[in-house]
mmCIF file of all heavy atoms in Angstrom:
data_model
loop_
_atom_site.group_PDB
_atom_site.id
_atom_site.type_symbol
_atom_site.label_atom_id
_atom_site.label_comp_id
_atom_site.label_asym_id
_atom_site.label_seq_id
_atom_site.Cartn_x
_atom_site.Cartn_y
_atom_site.Cartn_z
ATOM 1 N N LEU A 1 -210.379 11.338 -85.326
ATOM 2 C CA LEU A 1 -209.463 11.828 -86.346
ATOM 3 C C LEU A 1 -208.578 10.708 -86.851
ATOM 4 O O LEU A 1 -208.005 9.935 -86.067
ATOM 5 C CB LEU A 1 -208.597 12.960 -85.783
ATOM 6 C CG LEU A 1 -209.287 14.307 -85.539
ATOM 7 C CD1 LEU A 1 -208.299 15.288 -84.930
ATOM 8 C CD2 LEU A 1 -209.882 14.864 -86.830
ATOM 9 N N ASP A 2 -208.484 10.598 -88.166
ATOM 10 C CA ASP A 2 -207.643 9.582 -88.801
ATOM 11 C C ASP A 2 -206.768 10.292 -89.835
ATOM 12 O O ASP A 2 -207.262 10.715 -90.884
ATOM 13 C CB ASP A 2 -208.520 8.512 -89.463
ATOM 14 C CG ASP A 2 -207.695 7.417 -90.120
ATOM 15 O OD1 ASP A 2 -206.638 7.071 -89.585
ATOM 16 O OD2 ASP A 2 -208.134 6.914 -91.184
ATOM 17 N N ASN A 3 -205.477 10.455 -89.493
ATOM 18 C CA ASN A 3 -204.567 11.216 -90.353
ATOM 19 C C ASN A 3 -205.096 12.613 -90.652
ATOM 20 O O ASN A 3 -205.038 13.102 -91.780
ATOM 21 C CB ASN A 3 -204.311 10.463 -91.667
ATOM 22 C CG ASN A 3 -203.552 9.169 -91.438
ATOM 23 O OD1 ASN A 3 -202.677 9.094 -90.576
ATOM 24 N ND2 ASN A 3 -203.896 8.139 -92.206
ATOM 25 N N GLY A 4 -205.651 13.231 -89.605
ATOM 26 C CA GLY A 4 -206.143 14.600 -89.723
ATOM 27 C C GLY A 4 -207.529 14.720 -90.316
ATOM 28 O O GLY A 4 -208.060 15.834 -90.437
ATOM 29 N N ILE A 5 -208.150 13.597 -90.678
ATOM 30 C CA ILE A 5 -209.497 13.614 -91.269
ATOM 31 C C ILE A 5 -210.494 13.056 -90.259
ATOM 32 O O ILE A 5 -210.291 11.980 -89.702
ATOM 33 C CB ILE A 5 -209.545 12.783 -92.564
ATOM 34 C CG1 ILE A 5 -208.549 13.327 -93.587
ATOM 35 C CG2 ILE A 5 -210.960 12.767 -93.146
ATOM 36 C CD1 ILE A 5 -208.415 12.469 -94.825
ATOM 37 N N GLU A 6 -211.572 13.801 -90.023
ATOM 38 C CA GLU A 6 -212.590 13.343 -89.077
ATOM 39 C C GLU A 6 -213.423 12.242 -89.715
ATOM 40 O O GLU A 6 -213.956 12.398 -90.820
ATOM 41 C CB GLU A 6 -213.498 14.500 -88.652
ATOM 42 C CG GLU A 6 -214.450 14.117 -87.517
ATOM 43 C CD GLU A 6 -215.288 15.282 -87.040
ATOM 44 O OE1 GLU A 6 -215.558 16.201 -87.855
ATOM 45 O OE2 GLU A 6 -215.674 15.286 -85.867
ATOM 46 N N LYS A 7 -213.512 11.120 -89.023
ATOM 47 C CA LYS A 7 -214.283 9.986 -89.537
ATOM 48 C C LYS A 7 -215.262 9.490 -88.477
ATOM 49 O O LYS A 7 -215.117 9.767 -87.289
ATOM 50 C CB LYS A 7 -213.343 8.840 -89.948
ATOM 51 C CG LYS A 7 -212.485 9.165 -91.156
ATOM 52 C CD LYS A 7 -211.701 7.933 -91.611
ATOM 53 C CE LYS A 7 -210.906 8.234 -92.884
ATOM 54 N NZ LYS A 7 -210.163 7.045 -93.359
ATOM 55 N N LEU A 8 -216.265 8.751 -88.950
ATOM 56 C CA LEU A 8 -217.212 8.120 -88.046
ATOM 57 C C LEU A 8 -216.600 6.852 -87.469
ATOM 58 O O LEU A 8 -216.007 6.056 -88.201
ATOM 59 C CB LEU A 8 -218.502 7.752 -88.782
ATOM 60 C CG LEU A 8 -219.481 8.867 -89.130
ATOM 61 C CD1 LEU A 8 -220.620 8.301 -89.967
ATOM 62 C CD2 LEU A 8 -220.046 9.496 -87.859
ATOM 63 N N ASN A 9 -216.736 6.690 -86.180
ATOM 64 C CA ASN A 9 -216.302 5.458 -85.532
ATOM 65 C C ASN A 9 -217.550 4.613 -85.294
ATOM 66 O O ASN A 9 -218.436 4.996 -84.536
ATOM 67 C CB ASN A 9 -215.600 5.777 -84.214
ATOM 68 C CG ASN A 9 -214.908 4.569 -83.625
ATOM 69 O OD1 ASN A 9 -214.739 3.554 -84.295
ATOM 70 N ND2 ASN A 9 -214.506 4.657 -82.376
ATOM 71 N N LEU A 10 -217.623 3.470 -85.964
ATOM 72 C CA LEU A 10 -218.805 2.615 -85.880
ATOM 73 C C LEU A 10 -218.462 1.284 -85.243
ATOM 74 O O LEU A 10 -217.369 0.741 -85.442
ATOM 75 C CB LEU A 10 -219.396 2.338 -87.274
ATOM 76 C CG LEU A 10 -219.778 3.523 -88.158
ATOM 77 C CD1 LEU A 10 -220.370 3.014 -89.463
ATOM 78 C CD2 LEU A 10 -220.774 4.431 -87.448
ATOM 79 N N LEU A 11 -219.399 0.750 -84.475
ATOM 80 C CA LEU A 11 -219.308 -0.628 -84.009
ATOM 81 C C LEU A 11 -220.213 -1.455 -84.908
ATOM 82 O O LEU A 11 -221.443 -1.308 -84.880
ATOM 83 C CB LEU A 11 -219.754 -0.741 -82.551
ATOM 84 C CG LEU A 11 -219.796 -2.168 -81.977
ATOM 85 C CD1 LEU A 11 -218.387 -2.755 -81.900
ATOM 86 C CD2 LEU A 11 -220.462 -2.194 -80.606
ATOM 87 N N LEU A 12 -219.611 -2.284 -85.734
ATOM 88 C CA LEU A 12 -220.388 -3.178 -86.595
ATOM 89 C C LEU A 12 -220.736 -4.436 -85.806
ATOM 90 O O LEU A 12 -219.889 -5.023 -85.131
ATOM 91 C CB LEU A 12 -219.593 -3.558 -87.838
ATOM 92 C CG LEU A 12 -219.189 -2.427 -88.786
ATOM 93 C CD1 LEU A 12 -218.504 -3.002 -90.022
ATOM 94 C CD2 LEU A 12 -220.399 -1.586 -89.193
ATOM 95 N N ILE A 13 -221.979 -4.837 -85.887
ATOM 96 C CA ILE A 13 -222.464 -6.032 -85.191
ATOM 97 C C ILE A 13 -223.005 -6.994 -86.237
ATOM 98 O O ILE A 13 -224.035 -6.726 -86.869
ATOM 99 C CB ILE A 13 -223.560 -5.678 -84.174
ATOM 100 C CG1 ILE A 13 -223.065 -4.600 -83.199
ATOM 101 C CG2 ILE A 13 -224.016 -6.919 -83.417
ATOM 102 C CD1 ILE A 13 -224.144 -4.056 -82.288
ATOM 103 N N GLY A 14 -222.296 -8.085 -86.425
ATOM 104 C CA GLY A 14 -222.714 -9.076 -87.408
ATOM 105 C C GLY A 14 -223.304 -10.292 -86.714
ATOM 106 O O GLY A 14 -222.612 -11.022 -86.007
ATOM 107 N N VAL A 15 -224.599 -10.507 -86.914
ATOM 108 C CA VAL A 15 -225.283 -11.629 -86.282
ATOM 109 C C VAL A 15 -225.607 -12.668 -87.355
ATOM 110 O O VAL A 15 -226.204 -12.320 -88.393
ATOM 111 C CB VAL A 15 -226.597 -11.170 -85.599
ATOM 112 C CG1 VAL A 15 -227.232 -12.329 -84.837
ATOM 113 C CG2 VAL A 15 -226.339 -9.994 -84.673
ATOM 114 N N PRO A 16 -225.220 -13.928 -87.152
ATOM 115 C CA PRO A 16 -225.567 -14.956 -88.145
ATOM 116 C C PRO A 16 -227.054 -14.933 -88.455
ATOM 117 O O PRO A 16 -227.884 -14.845 -87.538
ATOM 118 C CB PRO A 16 -225.162 -16.254 -87.445
ATOM 119 C CG PRO A 16 -224.061 -15.857 -86.519
ATOM 120 C CD PRO A 16 -224.454 -14.482 -86.018
ATOM 121 N N ILE A 17 -227.373 -14.979 -89.716
ATOM 122 C CA ILE A 17 -228.775 -14.870 -90.122
ATOM 123 C C ILE A 17 -229.606 -16.003 -89.537
ATOM 124 O O ILE A 17 -230.804 -15.850 -89.273
ATOM 125 C CB ILE A 17 -228.895 -14.816 -91.664
ATOM 126 C CG1 ILE A 17 -230.279 -14.308 -92.060
ATOM 127 C CG2 ILE A 17 -228.569 -16.170 -92.294
ATOM 128 C CD1 ILE A 17 -230.384 -13.921 -93.518
ATOM 129 N N THR A 18 -228.975 -17.152 -89.291
ATOM 130 C CA THR A 18 -229.706 -18.269 -88.685
ATOM 131 C C THR A 18 -230.172 -17.920 -87.270
ATOM 132 O O THR A 18 -231.264 -18.316 -86.851
ATOM 133 C CB THR A 18 -228.822 -19.527 -88.633
ATOM 134 O OG1 THR A 18 -227.565 -19.203 -88.008
ATOM 135 C CG2 THR A 18 -228.554 -20.068 -90.021
ATOM 136 N N ILE A 19 -229.338 -17.169 -86.523
ATOM 137 C CA ILE A 19 -229.728 -16.746 -85.174
ATOM 138 C C ILE A 19 -230.859 -15.733 -85.240
ATOM 139 O O ILE A 19 -231.834 -15.800 -84.478
ATOM 140 C CB ILE A 19 -228.513 -16.164 -84.413
ATOM 141 C CG1 ILE A 19 -227.521 -17.274 -84.061
ATOM 142 C CG2 ILE A 19 -228.951 -15.424 -83.150
ATOM 143 C CD1 ILE A 19 -226.293 -16.815 -83.299
ATOM 144 N N VAL A 20 -230.751 -14.778 -86.163
ATOM 145 C CA VAL A 20 -231.805 -13.762 -86.314
ATOM 146 C C VAL A 20 -233.133 -14.421 -86.666
ATOM 147 O O VAL A 20 -234.164 -14.188 -86.020
ATOM 148 C CB VAL A 20 -231.416 -12.738 -87.403
ATOM 149 C CG1 VAL A 20 -232.580 -11.789 -87.673
ATOM 150 C CG2 VAL A 20 -230.182 -11.954 -86.983
ATOM 151 N N GLU A 21 -233.117 -15.256 -87.699
ATOM 152 C CA GLU A 21 -234.367 -15.867 -88.170
ATOM 153 C C GLU A 21 -234.975 -16.790 -87.121
ATOM 154 O O GLU A 21 -236.202 -16.812 -86.944
ATOM 155 C CB GLU A 21 -234.111 -16.631 -89.469
ATOM 156 C CG GLU A 21 -233.807 -15.709 -90.645
ATOM 157 C CD GLU A 21 -233.506 -16.468 -91.931
ATOM 158 O OE1 GLU A 21 -233.235 -17.701 -91.839
ATOM 159 O OE2 GLU A 21 -233.544 -15.849 -93.004
ATOM 160 N N SER A 22 -234.130 -17.533 -86.404
ATOM 161 C CA SER A 22 -234.676 -18.468 -85.415
ATOM 162 C C SER A 22 -235.368 -17.733 -84.270
ATOM 163 O O SER A 22 -236.414 -18.179 -83.780
ATOM 164 C CB SER A 22 -233.563 -19.383 -84.873
ATOM 165 O OG SER A 22 -232.579 -18.639 -84.174
ATOM 166 N N HIS A 23 -234.801 -16.593 -83.843
ATOM 167 C CA HIS A 23 -235.434 -15.831 -82.759
ATOM 168 C C HIS A 23 -236.726 -15.157 -83.236
ATOM 169 O O HIS A 23 -237.730 -15.165 -82.518
ATOM 170 C CB HIS A 23 -234.467 -14.780 -82.207
ATOM 171 C CG HIS A 23 -233.428 -15.355 -81.295
ATOM 172 N ND1 HIS A 23 -232.289 -15.966 -81.759
ATOM 173 C CD2 HIS A 23 -233.359 -15.417 -79.928
ATOM 174 C CE1 HIS A 23 -231.559 -16.383 -80.736
ATOM 175 N NE2 HIS A 23 -232.173 -16.059 -79.626
ATOM 176 N N LEU A 24 -236.690 -14.575 -84.433
ATOM 177 C CA LEU A 24 -237.902 -13.926 -84.948
ATOM 178 C C LEU A 24 -239.012 -14.949 -85.173
ATOM 179 O O LEU A 24 -240.177 -14.697 -84.843
ATOM 180 C CB LEU A 24 -237.574 -13.182 -86.247
ATOM 181 C CG LEU A 24 -236.620 -11.987 -86.119
ATOM 182 C CD1 LEU A 24 -236.366 -11.354 -87.483
ATOM 183 C CD2 LEU A 24 -237.157 -10.943 -85.145
ATOM 184 N N ASN A 25 -238.669 -16.106 -85.715
ATOM 185 C CA ASN A 25 -239.673 -17.150 -85.940
ATOM 186 C C ASN A 25 -240.230 -17.671 -84.621
ATOM 187 O O ASN A 25 -241.430 -17.953 -84.504
ATOM 188 C CB ASN A 25 -239.074 -18.300 -86.745
ATOM 189 C CG ASN A 25 -238.809 -17.916 -88.192
ATOM 190 O OD1 ASN A 25 -239.440 -17.005 -88.731
ATOM 191 N ND2 ASN A 25 -237.867 -18.592 -88.834
ATOM 192 N N LEU A 26 -239.345 -17.795 -83.624
ATOM 193 C CA LEU A 26 -239.793 -18.244 -82.309
ATOM 194 C C LEU A 26 -240.837 -17.286 -81.733
ATOM 195 O O LEU A 26 -241.903 -17.720 -81.248
ATOM 196 C CB LEU A 26 -238.595 -18.327 -81.357
ATOM 197 C CG LEU A 26 -238.923 -18.626 -79.889
ATOM 198 C CD1 LEU A 26 -239.271 -20.090 -79.704
ATOM 199 C CD2 LEU A 26 -237.756 -18.243 -78.979
ATOM 200 N N LEU A 27 -240.545 -15.988 -81.795
ATOM 201 C CA LEU A 27 -241.477 -14.998 -81.248
ATOM 202 C C LEU A 27 -242.813 -15.031 -81.989
ATOM 203 O O LEU A 27 -243.879 -14.932 -81.371
ATOM 204 C CB LEU A 27 -240.857 -13.601 -81.318
ATOM 205 C CG LEU A 27 -239.572 -13.395 -80.496
ATOM 206 C CD1 LEU A 27 -239.055 -11.977 -80.668
ATOM 207 C CD2 LEU A 27 -239.799 -13.697 -79.026
ATOM 208 N N LYS A 28 -242.751 -15.198 -83.295
ATOM 209 C CA LYS A 28 -243.994 -15.281 -84.083
ATOM 210 C C LYS A 28 -244.787 -16.532 -83.721
ATOM 211 O O LYS A 28 -246.022 -16.491 -83.625
ATOM 212 C CB LYS A 28 -243.661 -15.268 -85.572
ATOM 213 C CG LYS A 28 -243.139 -13.934 -86.072
ATOM 214 C CD LYS A 28 -242.708 -14.023 -87.531
ATOM 215 C CE LYS A 28 -242.103 -12.719 -88.014
ATOM 216 N NZ LYS A 28 -241.594 -12.833 -89.413
ATOM 217 N N ASP A 29 -244.081 -17.648 -83.518
ATOM 218 C CA ASP A 29 -244.757 -18.897 -83.147
ATOM 219 C C ASP A 29 -245.465 -18.777 -81.805
ATOM 220 O O ASP A 29 -246.503 -19.405 -81.572
ATOM 221 C CB ASP A 29 -243.742 -20.051 -83.082
ATOM 222 C CG ASP A 29 -243.218 -20.453 -84.456
ATOM 223 O OD1 ASP A 29 -243.852 -20.087 -85.465
ATOM 224 O OD2 ASP A 29 -242.175 -21.121 -84.514
ATOM 225 N N ILE A 30 -244.902 -17.969 -80.918
ATOM 226 C CA ILE A 30 -245.515 -17.755 -79.602
ATOM 227 C C ILE A 30 -246.773 -16.899 -79.736
ATOM 228 O O ILE A 30 -247.682 -16.975 -78.907
ATOM 229 C CB ILE A 30 -244.496 -17.085 -78.660
ATOM 230 C CG1 ILE A 30 -243.355 -18.061 -78.348
ATOM 231 C CG2 ILE A 30 -245.149 -16.618 -77.358
ATOM 232 C CD1 ILE A 30 -242.165 -17.424 -77.664
ATOM 233 N N GLY A 31 -246.828 -16.089 -80.795
ATOM 234 C CA GLY A 31 -247.945 -15.165 -80.977
ATOM 235 C C GLY A 31 -247.575 -13.733 -80.695
ATOM 236 O O GLY A 31 -248.435 -12.842 -80.681
ATOM 237 N N LEU A 32 -246.281 -13.494 -80.475
ATOM 238 C CA LEU A 32 -245.786 -12.140 -80.248
ATOM 239 C C LEU A 32 -245.535 -11.435 -81.570
ATOM 240 O O LEU A 32 -245.472 -12.073 -82.626
ATOM 241 C CB LEU A 32 -244.493 -12.190 -79.433
ATOM 242 C CG LEU A 32 -244.621 -12.738 -78.007
ATOM 243 C CD1 LEU A 32 -243.265 -13.118 -77.446
ATOM 244 C CD2 LEU A 32 -245.310 -11.720 -77.095
ATOM 245 N N LYS A 33 -245.366 -10.113 -81.507
ATOM 246 C CA LYS A 33 -245.094 -9.317 -82.698
ATOM 247 C C LYS A 33 -243.678 -8.741 -82.591
ATOM 248 O O LYS A 33 -243.482 -7.677 -82.001
ATOM 249 C CB LYS A 33 -246.124 -8.189 -82.827
ATOM 250 C CG LYS A 33 -247.557 -8.690 -82.937
ATOM 251 C CD LYS A 33 -248.550 -7.550 -82.857
ATOM 252 C CE LYS A 33 -249.980 -8.096 -82.844
ATOM 253 N NZ LYS A 33 -250.971 -6.995 -82.652
ATOM 254 N N PRO A 34 -242.685 -9.454 -83.125
ATOM 255 C CA PRO A 34 -241.298 -8.990 -82.971
ATOM 256 C C PRO A 34 -241.034 -7.715 -83.762
ATOM 257 O O PRO A 34 -241.335 -7.623 -84.954
ATOM 258 C CB PRO A 34 -240.477 -10.165 -83.521
ATOM 259 C CG PRO A 34 -241.402 -10.888 -84.446
ATOM 260 C CD PRO A 34 -242.781 -10.717 -83.877
ATOM 261 N N LEU A 35 -240.446 -6.723 -83.090
ATOM 262 C CA LEU A 35 -240.099 -5.466 -83.738
ATOM 263 C C LEU A 35 -238.614 -5.408 -84.087
ATOM 264 O O LEU A 35 -238.242 -4.838 -85.107
ATOM 265 C CB LEU A 35 -240.456 -4.286 -82.828
ATOM 266 C CG LEU A 35 -241.939 -4.117 -82.471
ATOM 267 C CD1 LEU A 35 -242.129 -2.876 -81.601
ATOM 268 C CD2 LEU A 35 -242.797 -4.022 -83.720
ATOM 269 N N ALA A 36 -237.769 -5.961 -83.222
ATOM 270 C CA ALA A 36 -236.326 -5.900 -83.483
ATOM 271 C C ALA A 36 -235.587 -6.808 -82.511
ATOM 272 O O ALA A 36 -236.105 -7.171 -81.448
ATOM 273 C CB ALA A 36 -235.818 -4.466 -83.332
ATOM 274 N N LEU A 37 -234.359 -7.168 -82.898
ATOM 275 C CA LEU A 37 -233.424 -7.815 -81.986
ATOM 276 C C LEU A 37 -232.427 -6.761 -81.514
ATOM 277 O O LEU A 37 -231.998 -5.926 -82.292
ATOM 278 C CB LEU A 37 -232.656 -8.943 -82.689
ATOM 279 C CG LEU A 37 -233.444 -10.147 -83.199
ATOM 280 C CD1 LEU A 37 -232.487 -11.182 -83.762
ATOM 281 C CD2 LEU A 37 -234.298 -10.755 -82.112
ATOM 282 N N ASP A 38 -232.069 -6.827 -80.256
ATOM 283 C CA ASP A 38 -231.093 -5.895 -79.698
ATOM 284 C C ASP A 38 -229.915 -6.695 -79.174
ATOM 285 O O ASP A 38 -230.029 -7.882 -78.859
ATOM 286 C CB ASP A 38 -231.723 -5.074 -78.568
ATOM 287 C CG ASP A 38 -231.081 -3.701 -78.413
ATOM 288 O OD1 ASP A 38 -229.962 -3.506 -78.946
ATOM 289 O OD2 ASP A 38 -231.690 -2.831 -77.766
ATOM 290 N N TYR A 39 -228.766 -6.033 -79.095
ATOM 291 C CA TYR A 39 -227.547 -6.636 -78.586
ATOM 292 C C TYR A 39 -227.371 -6.209 -77.130
ATOM 293 O O TYR A 39 -227.624 -5.064 -76.776
ATOM 294 C CB TYR A 39 -226.372 -6.180 -79.448
ATOM 295 C CG TYR A 39 -225.022 -6.551 -78.927
ATOM 296 C CD1 TYR A 39 -224.657 -7.885 -78.787
ATOM 297 C CD2 TYR A 39 -224.103 -5.578 -78.557
ATOM 298 C CE1 TYR A 39 -223.415 -8.230 -78.303
ATOM 299 C CE2 TYR A 39 -222.857 -5.912 -78.075
ATOM 300 C CZ TYR A 39 -222.519 -7.241 -77.949
ATOM 301 O OH TYR A 39 -221.281 -7.586 -77.461
ATOM 302 N N LYS A 40 -226.949 -7.127 -76.267
ATOM 303 C CA LYS A 40 -226.934 -6.843 -74.833
ATOM 304 C C LYS A 40 -226.075 -5.632 -74.474
ATOM 305 O O LYS A 40 -226.442 -4.840 -73.602
ATOM 306 C CB LYS A 40 -226.472 -8.080 -74.057
ATOM 307 C CG LYS A 40 -227.488 -9.211 -74.115
ATOM 308 C CD LYS A 40 -227.216 -10.290 -73.096
ATOM 309 C CE LYS A 40 -228.270 -11.381 -73.198
ATOM 310 N NZ LYS A 40 -228.218 -12.338 -72.081
ATOM 311 N N GLY A 41 -224.933 -5.489 -75.122
ATOM 312 C CA GLY A 41 -224.089 -4.337 -74.838
ATOM 313 C C GLY A 41 -224.799 -3.027 -75.138
ATOM 314 O O GLY A 41 -224.662 -2.040 -74.409
ATOM 315 N N ASN A 42 -225.578 -3.014 -76.215
ATOM 316 C CA ASN A 42 -226.324 -1.812 -76.574
ATOM 317 C C ASN A 42 -227.458 -1.551 -75.591
ATOM 318 O O ASN A 42 -227.731 -0.405 -75.223
ATOM 319 C CB ASN A 42 -226.882 -1.946 -77.991
ATOM 320 C CG ASN A 42 -227.481 -0.664 -78.512
ATOM 321 O OD1 ASN A 42 -226.890 0.400 -78.397
ATOM 322 N ND2 ASN A 42 -228.665 -0.753 -79.095
ATOM 323 N N ALA A 43 -228.113 -2.628 -75.132
ATOM 324 C CA ALA A 43 -229.215 -2.469 -74.179
ATOM 325 C C ALA A 43 -228.730 -1.839 -72.884
ATOM 326 O O ALA A 43 -229.366 -0.938 -72.336
ATOM 327 C CB ALA A 43 -229.861 -3.833 -73.908
ATOM 328 N N ILE A 44 -227.575 -2.286 -72.372
ATOM 329 C CA ILE A 44 -227.074 -1.753 -71.111
ATOM 330 C C ILE A 44 -226.570 -0.321 -71.291
ATOM 331 O O ILE A 44 -226.690 0.517 -70.389
ATOM 332 C CB ILE A 44 -225.974 -2.667 -70.522
ATOM 333 C CG1 ILE A 44 -225.879 -2.470 -69.006
ATOM 334 C CG2 ILE A 44 -224.628 -2.434 -71.155
ATOM 335 C CD1 ILE A 44 -227.045 -3.032 -68.240
ATOM 336 N N CYS A 45 -226.055 -0.005 -72.467
ATOM 337 C CA CYS A 45 -225.609 1.367 -72.746
ATOM 338 C C CYS A 45 -226.800 2.324 -72.754
ATOM 339 O O CYS A 45 -226.725 3.429 -72.209
ATOM 340 C CB CYS A 45 -224.876 1.406 -74.086
ATOM 341 S SG CYS A 45 -224.226 3.035 -74.518
ATOM 342 N N LYS A 46 -227.902 1.898 -73.337
ATOM 343 C CA LYS A 46 -229.103 2.741 -73.363
ATOM 344 C C LYS A 46 -229.650 2.957 -71.958
ATOM 345 O O LYS A 46 -230.123 4.050 -71.625
ATOM 346 C CB LYS A 46 -230.168 2.110 -74.261
ATOM 347 C CG LYS A 46 -229.833 2.152 -75.744
ATOM 348 C CD LYS A 46 -230.958 1.605 -76.601
ATOM 349 C CE LYS A 46 -231.193 0.146 -76.373
ATOM 350 N NZ LYS A 46 -232.266 -0.411 -77.213
ATOM 351 N N LEU A 47 -229.568 1.915 -71.146
ATOM 352 C CA LEU A 47 -230.065 2.036 -69.774
ATOM 353 C C LEU A 47 -229.248 3.050 -68.990
ATOM 354 O O LEU A 47 -229.799 3.869 -68.254
ATOM 355 C CB LEU A 47 -230.019 0.663 -69.087
ATOM 356 C CG LEU A 47 -230.710 0.562 -67.732
ATOM 357 C CD1 LEU A 47 -232.193 0.869 -67.850
ATOM 358 C CD2 LEU A 47 -230.508 -0.818 -67.135
#
């Protein structure tokens, strides 16, 4: 609730595009098929 109005509480995760691209390119160079990058805090929460 924000001033009596129900709102969504979001955790925004901003990852530098250079980090994203370097990891995806690395996985492709290995011969893997990258589906997504995950954030460690989110991984442990899911577990």
Side-chain angles (χ1 to χ4, degrees):
L1 288 178
D2 181 35
N3 294 324
I5 301 173
E6 188 177 28
K7 292 187 176 181
L8 285 175
N9 191 13
L10 304 181
L11 176 66
L12 298 185
I13 305 172
V15 185
I17 196 167
T18 52
I19 290 181
V20 173
E21 290 178 344
S22 64
H23 283 81
L24 294 179
N25 289 336
L26 173 76
L27 297 179
K28 290 175 184 176
D29 290 343
I30 292 168
L32 295 164
K33 300 172 185 175
L35 298 182
L37 296 184
D38 208 343
Y39 171 63
K40 292 194 180 191
N42 189 47
I44 204 71
C45 182
K46 290 184 295 181
L47 190 61

